[in-house]
Amino acid sequence: MFFIGHMNCYSTALSAISFAFAMEGIGSAAVYANNQDLAPTHAGAVYGFMNSISAIPGFLGVYISGHIMDYFNSWSIVFSITGSITFTGWFVFMLFGTGEKIA
């Protein structure tokens, strides 16, 4: 995601973003299974809470991206912020994420 905004070739950028979305899809499979590991008897409630929180970037991201495009007219900034957020989430999960039961 960091390099997509700096690419000049359409097919290269399309391949890079397709690869990024494929990797994100693979990671999503782990998220769907993880709530079963964390709280097997309350997996539905845990998933509902996780899904509610994860919906926030869906509307805030569009709003922030629009402002970035209005002020800077730069997709590279948008993709850099997206890559930074994704990397930070991965890093925090790798540090603190477990599959131990909580309930």
Side-chain angles (χ1 to χ4, degrees):
M1 294 298 278
F2 294 108
F3 305 111
I4 292 172
H6 302 287
M7 293 181 177
N8 295 325
C9 178
Y10 173 76
S11 60
T12 305
L14 183 63
S15 298
I17 203 162
S18 296
F19 178 75
F21 282 136
M23 293 297 105
E24 186 176 341
I26 290 170
S28 294
V31 170
Y32 296 141
N34 197 30
N35 59 12
Q36 292 287 344
D37 293 337
L38 293 174
T41 57
H42 304 288
V46 171
Y47 181 75
F49 177 73
M50 288 178 6
N51 200 28
S52 297
I53 298 300
S54 68
I56 294 171
F59 61 85
L60 281 183
V62 173
Y63 180 76
I64 292 169
S65 297
H67 279 289
I68 290 170
M69 291 303 293
D70 283 344
Y71 293 120
F72 301 106
N73 199 25
S74 173
W75 279 109
S76 61
I77 295 173
V78 173
F79 286 125
S80 294
I81 291 171
T82 304
S84 299
I85 292 170
T86 303
F87 179 78
T88 302
W90 170 82
F91 187 73
V92 168
F93 181 78
M94 294 306 289
L95 284 178
F96 302 112
T98 67
E100 296 177 19
K101 290 183 182 180
I102 57 174

